[in-house]
Protein backbone atom coordinates (compact mmCIF):
# COMPACT_ATOMS: atom_id res chain seq x y z
CA UNK A 1 0.00 0.00 0.00
CA UNK A 2 1.12 3.56 -0.71
CA UNK A 3 3.93 2.24 -2.90
CA UNK A 4 6.35 4.99 -3.84
CA UNK A 5 8.58 4.78 -6.87
CA UNK A 6 12.23 4.62 -5.76
CA UNK A 7 14.31 7.55 -6.94
CA UNK A 8 17.99 8.24 -7.20
CA UNK A 9 19.96 11.48 -7.05
CA UNK A 10 23.46 11.28 -8.53
CA UNK A 11 26.16 13.92 -8.68
CA UNK A 12 29.85 13.99 -9.42
CA UNK A 13 32.69 16.47 -9.76
CA UNK A 14 35.62 15.32 -11.88
CA UNK A 15 39.05 16.77 -12.57
CA UNK A 16 41.22 15.41 -15.38
CA UNK A 17 44.79 16.39 -16.24
CA UNK A 18 46.98 15.37 -19.17
CA UNK A 19 50.39 14.46 -17.77
CA UNK A 20 51.81 13.74 -21.24
CA UNK A 21 50.41 13.41 -24.73
CA UNK A 22 49.31 9.85 -23.95
CA UNK A 23 49.08 9.72 -20.14
CA UNK A 24 46.19 11.27 -18.19
CA UNK A 25 45.10 11.31 -14.54
CA UNK A 26 41.59 11.75 -13.25
CA UNK A 27 39.98 12.14 -9.83
CA UNK A 28 36.25 12.32 -9.12
CA UNK A 29 33.99 12.71 -6.13
CA UNK A 30 30.80 10.69 -6.72
CA UNK A 31 27.58 10.90 -4.73
CA UNK A 32 24.54 8.65 -5.13
CA UNK A 33 21.53 9.06 -2.88
CA UNK A 34 18.56 6.67 -3.15
CA UNK A 35 15.15 7.07 -1.51
CA UNK A 36 12.01 4.92 -1.21
CA UNK A 37 13.86 1.62 -1.57
CA UNK A 38 11.85 -1.54 -1.08
CA UNK A 39 12.24 -3.07 2.34
CA UNK A 40 10.67 -6.20 3.79
CA UNK A 41 9.68 -5.30 7.34
CA UNK A 42 7.11 -8.06 7.86
CA UNK A 43 3.61 -7.61 9.25
CA UNK A 44 1.87 -8.30 12.54
CA UNK A 45 5.03 -7.57 14.54
CA UNK A 46 5.55 -6.57 18.16
CA UNK A 47 5.82 -2.85 18.81
CA UNK A 48 7.80 -2.94 22.04
CA UNK A 49 10.89 -4.59 23.51
CA UNK A 50 9.77 -7.64 25.49
CA UNK A 51 11.66 -9.86 27.96
CA UNK A 52 12.88 -13.28 26.85
CA UNK A 53 10.19 -15.92 27.08
CA UNK A 54 7.29 -13.50 26.68
CA UNK A 55 4.43 -14.82 24.55
CA UNK A 56 4.42 -12.40 21.61
CA UNK A 57 0.84 -13.33 20.75
CA UNK A 58 -0.33 -10.97 23.45
CA UNK A 59 1.60 -8.05 21.93
CA UNK A 60 0.79 -8.16 18.22
CA UNK A 61 -2.16 -6.41 16.49
CA UNK A 62 -3.80 -9.61 15.27
CA UNK A 63 -3.20 -12.46 17.76
CA UNK A 64 -5.08 -15.02 15.64
CA UNK A 65 -2.64 -14.66 12.76
CA UNK A 66 1.03 -15.55 12.45
CA UNK A 67 3.74 -12.95 13.00
CA UNK A 68 6.19 -11.63 10.45
CA UNK A 69 4.45 -12.43 7.16
CA UNK A 70 5.75 -10.96 3.93
CA UNK A 71 5.12 -7.24 3.84
CA UNK A 72 7.06 -4.78 1.69
CA UNK A 73 7.25 -1.01 2.05
CA UNK A 74 9.24 1.59 0.13
CA UNK A 75 10.83 3.20 3.17
CA UNK A 76 14.51 2.31 2.67
CA UNK A 77 17.35 4.73 1.94
CA UNK A 78 20.95 4.48 0.85
CA UNK A 79 23.84 6.86 0.22
CA UNK A 80 27.15 6.33 -1.56
CA UNK A 81 30.17 8.61 -1.33
CA UNK A 82 33.24 7.73 -3.32
CA UNK A 83 36.61 9.03 -4.41
CA UNK A 84 37.26 7.48 -7.83
CA UNK A 85 40.72 7.91 -9.35
CA UNK A 86 42.14 6.80 -12.68
CA UNK A 87 45.51 6.77 -14.42
CA UNK A 88 45.23 5.93 -18.12
CA UNK A 89 47.98 5.35 -20.66
CA UNK A 90 46.71 5.44 -24.23
CA UNK A 91 48.34 3.13 -26.74
CA UNK A 92 51.88 4.36 -27.37
CA UNK A 93 55.08 2.46 -28.04
CA UNK A 94 53.11 -0.77 -27.96
CA UNK A 95 51.90 -0.17 -24.39
CA UNK A 96 48.55 0.77 -22.91
CA UNK A 97 47.24 0.42 -19.36
CA UNK A 98 44.51 1.58 -17.03
CA UNK A 99 44.87 1.84 -13.24
CA UNK A 100 41.83 2.73 -11.13
CA UNK A 101 41.45 3.09 -7.39
CA UNK A 102 38.18 3.72 -5.57
CA UNK A 103 37.84 4.64 -1.92
CA UNK A 104 34.17 4.73 -1.00
CA UNK A 105 31.50 4.16 1.61
CA UNK A 106 27.93 2.97 1.05
CA UNK A 107 25.34 3.15 3.83
CA UNK A 108 21.81 1.80 3.79
CA UNK A 109 18.95 0.41 5.85
CA UNK A 110 17.57 -1.70 2.98
CA UNK A 111 18.75 -5.19 2.03
CA UNK A 112 20.34 -6.13 -1.28
CA UNK A 113 17.63 -8.58 -2.38
CA UNK A 114 19.43 -9.53 -5.60
CA UNK A 115 22.49 -10.92 -3.81
CA UNK A 116 21.26 -13.37 -1.22
CA UNK A 117 20.10 -11.03 1.54
CA UNK A 118 16.91 -11.91 3.36
CA UNK A 119 13.90 -9.78 2.50
CA UNK A 120 13.06 -9.32 6.19
CA UNK A 121 15.25 -6.51 7.48
CA UNK A 122 15.72 -4.93 10.87
CA UNK A 123 15.83 -5.93 14.49
CA UNK A 124 12.85 -3.87 15.58
CA UNK A 125 11.00 -2.71 12.46
CA UNK A 126 7.77 -1.83 14.28
CA UNK A 127 9.12 -0.51 17.59
CA UNK A 128 8.44 3.24 17.84
CA UNK A 129 11.63 5.29 17.89
CA UNK A 130 13.64 2.44 16.34
CA UNK A 131 12.14 0.94 13.19
CA UNK A 132 14.20 0.28 10.05
CA UNK A 133 16.42 3.33 10.66
CA UNK A 134 17.76 1.61 13.77
CA UNK A 135 19.65 -0.71 11.40
CA UNK A 136 21.23 2.04 9.31
CA UNK A 137 24.82 1.03 8.59
CA UNK A 138 27.22 -0.24 5.90
CA UNK A 139 25.31 -1.56 2.89
CA UNK A 140 25.61 -5.21 1.88
CA UNK A 141 27.45 -4.09 -1.27
CA UNK A 142 29.83 -1.68 0.49
CA UNK A 143 33.46 -2.26 -0.55
CA UNK A 144 35.79 0.41 0.82
CA UNK A 145 38.86 -0.15 -1.34
CA UNK A 146 38.91 -1.35 -4.95
CA UNK A 147 41.90 -1.50 -7.30
CA UNK A 148 41.65 -2.53 -10.95
CA UNK A 149 44.69 -2.72 -13.22
CA UNK A 150 44.49 -3.76 -16.86
CA UNK A 151 46.53 -3.28 -19.98
CA UNK A 152 48.46 -4.75 -22.86
CA UNK A 153 51.95 -4.63 -24.33
CA UNK A 154 53.22 -5.51 -27.78
CA UNK A 155 56.66 -7.02 -27.22
CA UNK A 156 59.35 -5.00 -29.10
CA UNK A 157 60.93 -7.97 -30.90
CA UNK A 158 60.87 -8.90 -34.57
CA UNK A 159 60.54 -7.11 -37.88
CA UNK A 160 59.49 -3.45 -37.67
CA UNK A 161 60.13 -3.50 -33.93
CA UNK A 162 62.78 -1.87 -31.75
CA UNK A 163 64.84 -5.00 -31.23
CA UNK A 164 65.89 -7.67 -33.73
CA UNK A 165 64.15 -5.79 -36.52
CA UNK A 166 66.34 -7.26 -39.26
CA UNK A 167 65.83 -10.96 -38.54
CA UNK A 168 64.76 -13.32 -41.29
CA UNK A 169 61.20 -14.46 -41.82
CA UNK A 170 61.64 -17.79 -40.03
CA UNK A 171 63.13 -16.16 -36.91
CA UNK A 172 60.51 -13.44 -36.99
CA UNK A 173 57.77 -16.09 -36.95
CA UNK A 174 59.27 -17.34 -33.68
CA UNK A 175 59.98 -14.12 -31.78
CA UNK A 176 57.88 -11.48 -33.51
CA UNK A 177 54.23 -10.60 -33.22
CA UNK A 178 53.88 -11.37 -29.51
CA UNK A 179 51.69 -9.33 -27.18
CA UNK A 180 50.53 -9.82 -23.61
CA UNK A 181 47.40 -8.62 -21.80
CA UNK A 182 46.37 -8.66 -18.15
CA UNK A 183 43.53 -7.81 -15.78
CA UNK A 184 44.05 -7.53 -12.02
CA UNK A 185 41.30 -7.06 -9.44
CA UNK A 186 42.04 -6.29 -5.79
CA UNK A 187 39.22 -5.36 -3.46
CA UNK A 188 38.34 -5.52 0.21
CA UNK A 189 35.66 -7.61 1.85
CA UNK A 190 31.99 -6.75 2.21
CA UNK A 191 30.27 -5.99 5.55
CA UNK A 192 28.95 -8.76 7.72
CA UNK A 193 26.90 -8.73 10.90
CA UNK A 194 27.57 -11.16 13.75
CA UNK A 195 24.31 -12.17 15.41
CA UNK A 196 23.66 -13.02 19.04
CA UNK A 197 24.02 -16.73 19.93
CA UNK A 198 21.21 -16.25 22.46
CA UNK A 199 18.16 -14.09 21.87
CA UNK A 200 17.97 -11.11 24.22
CA UNK A 201 14.28 -10.29 23.77
CA UNK A 202 11.07 -11.76 22.37
CA UNK A 203 9.92 -10.69 18.93
CA UNK A 204 12.92 -8.48 18.14
CA UNK A 205 16.40 -9.29 16.87
CA UNK A 206 19.89 -8.91 18.27
CA UNK A 207 23.42 -8.23 17.04
CA UNK A 208 26.66 -8.91 18.82
CA UNK A 209 29.15 -6.10 19.29
CA UNK A 210 32.91 -5.79 19.47
CA UNK A 211 34.78 -5.99 22.76
CA UNK A 212 36.98 -2.89 23.21
CA UNK A 213 40.68 -3.69 23.03
CA UNK A 214 40.20 -7.12 21.43
CA UNK A 215 41.40 -7.71 17.87
CA UNK A 216 39.08 -9.61 15.54
CA UNK A 217 42.10 -11.27 13.87
CA UNK A 218 40.50 -11.31 10.44
CA UNK A 219 42.69 -13.51 8.27
CA UNK A 220 42.46 -16.79 6.40
CA UNK A 221 43.82 -19.59 8.56
CA UNK A 222 43.55 -23.32 8.07
CA UNK A 223 42.40 -25.25 11.13
CA UNK A 224 41.72 -28.91 11.87
CA UNK A 225 37.97 -29.59 12.09
CA UNK A 226 38.15 -33.37 12.43
CA UNK A 227 41.08 -34.69 14.54
CA UNK A 228 40.29 -38.28 13.54
CA UNK A 229 40.66 -37.79 9.80
CA UNK A 230 42.88 -34.71 9.97
CA UNK A 231 40.41 -32.80 7.76
CA UNK A 232 41.04 -29.07 7.68
CA UNK A 233 39.03 -26.03 6.59
CA UNK A 234 39.68 -22.30 6.19
CA UNK A 235 38.55 -19.94 8.95
CA UNK A 236 38.19 -16.16 8.79
CA UNK A 237 37.24 -14.99 12.30
CA UNK A 238 40.01 -16.20 14.58
CA UNK A 239 39.27 -14.56 17.94
CA UNK A 240 35.84 -15.35 19.44
CA UNK A 241 36.79 -13.26 22.49
CA UNK A 242 36.38 -10.14 20.35
CA UNK A 243 32.59 -10.49 20.44
CA UNK A 244 29.93 -10.21 23.11
CA UNK A 245 26.20 -9.85 23.12
CA UNK A 246 23.86 -7.96 25.41
CA UNK A 247 22.59 -9.95 28.36
CA UNK A 248 19.05 -11.25 27.75
CA UNK A 249 16.23 -9.16 29.13
CA UNK A 250 14.46 -10.88 31.99
CA UNK A 251 11.38 -9.79 33.98
CA UNK A 252 13.58 -7.69 36.25
CA UNK A 253 16.03 -6.39 33.65
CA UNK A 254 19.15 -7.75 31.86
CA UNK A 255 19.98 -11.17 33.30
CA UNK A 256 23.38 -12.85 32.55
CA UNK A 257 22.08 -16.18 33.86
CA UNK A 258 19.79 -16.51 30.82
CA UNK A 259 22.68 -17.14 28.42
CA UNK A 260 25.92 -19.10 28.26
CA UNK A 261 27.36 -16.64 25.74
CA UNK A 262 29.66 -13.84 26.97
CA UNK A 263 27.37 -10.88 27.59
CA UNK A 264 27.38 -7.43 29.03
CA UNK A 265 24.66 -5.48 30.81
CA UNK A 266 22.84 -3.14 28.45
CA UNK A 267 19.66 -1.13 28.77
CA UNK A 268 17.17 0.56 26.47
CA UNK A 269 17.59 -0.11 22.76
CA UNK A 270 21.18 -1.29 23.41
CA UNK A 271 19.62 -4.58 24.57
CA UNK A 272 19.32 -5.31 20.80
CA UNK A 273 23.08 -5.12 20.33
CA UNK A 274 25.49 -3.21 18.15
CA UNK A 275 25.18 -1.68 14.72
CA UNK A 276 25.03 -3.96 11.64
CA UNK A 277 27.96 -4.51 9.32
CA UNK A 278 30.62 -3.84 11.97
CA UNK A 279 32.96 -6.47 10.52
CA UNK A 280 33.76 -7.71 7.02
CA UNK A 281 34.46 -10.90 5.14
CA UNK A 282 37.42 -11.87 2.94
CA UNK A 283 38.41 -9.69 0.01
CA UNK A 284 38.50 -10.57 -3.67
CA UNK A 285 41.78 -10.92 -5.58
CA UNK A 286 42.17 -12.17 -9.13
CA UNK A 287 44.74 -12.02 -11.92
CA UNK A 288 43.93 -12.95 -15.53
CA UNK A 289 46.65 -13.11 -18.16
CA UNK A 290 46.83 -13.83 -21.87
CA UNK A 291 49.49 -14.01 -24.58
CA UNK A 292 48.78 -13.49 -28.30
CA UNK A 293 51.00 -14.36 -31.24
CA UNK A 294 50.29 -12.97 -34.70
CA UNK A 295 51.36 -14.51 -38.01
CA UNK A 296 51.18 -12.45 -41.22
CA UNK A 297 50.63 -15.03 -43.96
CA UNK A 298 50.03 -12.57 -46.80
CA UNK A 299 48.83 -9.01 -47.31
CA UNK A 300 45.22 -10.14 -46.83
CA UNK A 301 45.52 -13.18 -44.61
CA UNK A 302 46.83 -13.40 -41.05
CA UNK A 303 46.56 -15.81 -38.16
CA UNK A 304 46.53 -15.29 -34.42
CA UNK A 305 47.30 -17.78 -31.68
CA UNK A 306 45.89 -17.06 -28.22
CA UNK A 307 46.75 -18.54 -24.83
CA UNK A 308 44.42 -17.26 -22.11
CA UNK A 309 44.80 -17.94 -18.39
CA UNK A 310 41.88 -17.06 -16.12
CA UNK A 311 42.85 -16.88 -12.44
CA UNK A 312 46.38 -17.80 -13.48
CA UNK A 313 47.60 -17.86 -9.86
CA UNK A 314 44.85 -20.39 -8.98
CA UNK A 315 43.89 -18.17 -6.04
CA UNK A 316 40.61 -19.06 -4.28
CA UNK A 317 38.26 -16.24 -3.29
CA UNK A 318 36.14 -17.26 -0.33
CA UNK A 319 32.67 -16.25 0.74
CA UNK A 320 32.26 -14.87 4.23
CA UNK A 321 31.47 -17.32 7.04
CA UNK A 322 27.75 -18.00 7.50
CA UNK A 323 27.10 -16.90 3.92
CA UNK A 324 24.07 -18.70 2.58
CA UNK A 325 22.98 -16.63 -0.42
CA UNK A 326 22.51 -17.66 -4.03
CA UNK A 327 21.69 -21.25 -3.15
CA UNK A 328 24.86 -21.78 -1.09
CA UNK A 329 24.37 -23.81 2.08
CA UNK A 330 26.09 -22.09 5.00
CA UNK A 331 27.91 -24.11 7.66
CA UNK A 332 25.95 -24.53 10.88
CA UNK A 333 27.52 -22.53 13.69
CA UNK A 334 29.90 -20.55 11.51
CA UNK A 335 28.20 -17.29 12.56
CA UNK A 336 27.99 -18.17 16.27
CA UNK A 337 31.00 -16.95 18.25
CA UNK A 338 30.36 -19.58 20.95
CA UNK A 339 30.53 -22.46 18.43
CA UNK A 340 33.72 -24.29 17.44
CA UNK A 341 32.76 -23.75 13.80
CA UNK A 342 32.71 -19.96 14.23
CA UNK A 343 34.44 -18.30 11.30
CA UNK A 344 34.55 -21.44 9.15
CA UNK A 345 34.19 -20.75 5.43
CA UNK A 346 31.98 -23.10 3.45
CA UNK A 347 32.12 -21.87 -0.15
CA UNK A 348 33.99 -19.79 -2.70
CA UNK A 349 32.65 -16.74 -4.47
CA UNK A 350 33.11 -17.86 -8.07
CA UNK A 351 32.07 -21.50 -7.70
CA UNK A 352 32.17 -23.51 -9.88
CA UNK A 353 34.55 -21.29 -11.88
CA UNK A 354 37.22 -20.80 -9.21
CA UNK A 355 40.15 -22.96 -10.40
CA UNK A 356 42.71 -21.75 -12.90
CA UNK A 357 41.33 -22.12 -16.42
CA UNK A 358 43.50 -22.26 -19.52
CA UNK A 359 42.16 -22.03 -23.03
CA UNK A 360 43.83 -21.87 -26.43
CA UNK A 361 42.49 -20.47 -29.66
CA UNK A 362 43.64 -20.11 -33.25
CA UNK A 363 41.96 -17.41 -35.35
CA UNK A 364 42.27 -16.87 -39.09
CA UNK A 365 41.72 -13.34 -40.46
CA UNK A 366 41.03 -12.81 -44.15
Amino acid sequence: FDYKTPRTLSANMTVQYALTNTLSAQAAYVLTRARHLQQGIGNNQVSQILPVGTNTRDFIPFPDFSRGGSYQRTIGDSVYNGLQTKLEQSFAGGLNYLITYTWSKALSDAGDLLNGTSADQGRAPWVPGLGPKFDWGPADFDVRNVVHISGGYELPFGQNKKYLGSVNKFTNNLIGGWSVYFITTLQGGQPQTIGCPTGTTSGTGCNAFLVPGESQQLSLKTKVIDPTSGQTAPFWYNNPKAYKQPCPLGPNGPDPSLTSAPCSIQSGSAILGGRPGFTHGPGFHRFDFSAFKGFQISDRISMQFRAEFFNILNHPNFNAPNFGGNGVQSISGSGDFTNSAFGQIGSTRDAPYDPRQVQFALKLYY
Side-chain angles (χ1 to χ4, degrees), residues 13-249:
M13 183 177 68
T14 305
V15 177
Q16 188 180 63
Y17 185 74
L19 302 175
T20 69
N21 290 337
T22 59
L23 182 63
S24 65
Q26 177 176 301
Y29 164 69
V30 179
L31 166 69
T32 303
R33 174 80 186 191
R35 302 293 303 275
H36 305 312
L37 300 177
Q38 182 173 311
Q39 190 175 45
I41 60 174
N43 61 12
N44 208 26
Q45 302 273 35
V46 299
S47 57
Q48 57 185 294
I49 297 177
L50 303 171
V52 170
T54 303
N55 187 350
T56 59
R57 181 179 177 181
D58 299 329
F59 296 91
I60 57 178
F62 304 98
D64 293 330
F65 294 87
S66 61
R67 183 174 62 86
S70 178
Y71 178 50
Q72 307 290 316
R73 290 192 64 189
T74 50
I75 56 176
D77 296 311
S78 72
V79 62
Y80 168 90
N81 289 277
L83 171 65
Q84 301 178 1
T85 63
K86 178 171 69 174
L87 183 67
E88 184 171 13
Q89 170 68 55
S90 301
F91 186 81
L95 174 67
N96 73 286
Y97 59 82
L98 175 66
I99 302 173
T100 66
Y101 170 67
T102 299
W103 178 45
S104 64
K105 187 174 185 179
L107 300 172
S108 181
D109 54 20
D112 183 5
L113 303 183
L114 297 179
N115 288 288
T117 302
S118 171
D120 292 328
Q121 297 295 312
R123 287 168 286 173
W126 291 90
V127 176
L130 301 181
K133 300 304 177 189
F134 184 58
D135 287 289
W136 176 266
D140 300 329
F141 47 83
D142 176 51
V143 179
R144 298 296 169 87
N145 295 279
V146 179
V147 176
H148 287 167
I149 305 173
S150 63
Y153 183 50
E154 292 183 353
L155 301 185
F157 305 108
Q159 294 178 358
N160 303 318
K161 298 294 183 179
K162 185 175 181 179
Y163 302 107
L164 304 176
S166 60
V167 296
N168 57 45
K169 186 175 181 179
F170 176 79
T171 304
N172 183 67
N173 284 334
L174 293 177
I175 65 173
W178 284 99
S179 56
V180 294
Y181 302 90
F182 59 90
I183 301 174
T184 302
T185 301
L186 305 170
Q187 66 185 49
Q190 293 171 233
Q192 189 174 28
T193 301
I194 305 297
C196 296
T198 302
T200 59
T201 61
S202 290
T204 45
C206 175
N207 294 337
F209 47 74
L210 292 174
V211 176
E214 285 282 353
S215 170
Q216 297 187 71
Q217 299 181 14
L218 305 180
S219 61
L220 288 170
K221 292 184 178 180
T222 301
K223 300 180 182 178
V224 176
I225 60 173
D226 187 346
T228 303
S229 64
Q231 182 183 357
T232 61
F235 282 72
W236 178 247
Y237 300 115
N238 294 290
N239 183 20
K241 295 180 181 179
Y243 311 96
K244 278 188 178 181
Q245 68 163 62
C247 295
L249 181 63

Side-chain angles (χ1 to χ4, degrees), residues 294-304 363-366:
F295 301 90
Q296 194 65 42
I297 299 175
S298 68
D299 291 341
R300 297 181 56 193
I301 301 176
S302 63
M303 185 175 291
Q304 184 185 70
K363 300 184 71 175
L364 180 66
Y365 297 88
Y366 61 92

